[in-house]
Amino acid sequence: MTIIKIIDAFTFYGVDVLLLAALTAAVTQVLKISVLKKLKKKILTFLPFVLGTLFYAIYECVCNLSIRLLLIDYVTIIEHGISVGAVATLLYVLHEQFIREKKGCTQTEQVVATLLEGYVPTDSVEKAAKEVAAAIERDVTGNGAARAEEIIGMYCEGEITERDIKLLSKLIIETLAHITAV
């Protein structure tokens, strides 16, 4: 696709698509971290397109003061709605790659995060790993496993059994012990 075709696409769809895309990206992020945080990422991929189509349909109804348009010109509404979702996804990617500051993890935190994946919700893995690693590093009593269990239990929200939490915390401590020994 040449740059002329890209510019032509934006002039065809207009600024309304860009503004609705910004709204869609913002609402998608809020929903991801609040209501839909336990939903699988594969399903969340479609959220901007669904919201974009919904927002564009509402926009068209308000601009034309008619709900009848939804039945008559639904193909155009779906087409523009998918465009809103595509631009919202593009805005999200640009934000993640160039604007958002990523906080680096230490090697210990990366190891803990790897072990916690699948047990802790994806958006909380890094935070949980930092807390578990800090609790184990600060432990002077030799009771780091108990504190790690508490932290893991808070983040798992009852999705795994107590026995699995104990085994996971012991696995983390043993793994960290072998890493520091090497």
Side-chain angles (χ1 to χ4, degrees), residues 129-145:
K130 286 180 184 277
E131 287 184 33
V132 168
I136 293 171
E137 287 174 4
R138 279 188 255 129
D139 180 44
V140 290
T141 62
N143 201 14

Side-chain angles (χ1 to χ4, degrees), residues 44 145 157 164:
L44 288 175
E157 300 172 353
D164 290 339

Side-chain angles (χ1 to χ4, degrees), residues 66-125:
S66 173
I67 295 178
R68 232 174 36 127
L69 187 67
L70 292 176
L71 300 173
I72 297 170
D73 205 15
Y74 63 90
V75 173
T76 303
I77 290 173
I78 292 172
E79 178 182 293
H80 282 76
I82 290 175
S83 297
V84 169
V87 174
T89 303
L90 176 66
L91 290 174
Y92 171 75
V93 169
L94 289 173
H95 176 267
E96 287 294 311
Q97 294 298 317
F98 299 111
I99 298 171
R100 187 179 80 138
E101 292 183 29
K102 296 179 182 171
K103 300 172 186 159
C105 292
T106 64
Q107 179 186 10
T108 302
E109 293 168 350
Q110 289 174 350
V111 169
V112 174
T114 302
L115 294 171
L116 289 177
E117 284 179 8
Y119 297 103
V120 174
T122 307
D123 58 333
S124 302
V125 169

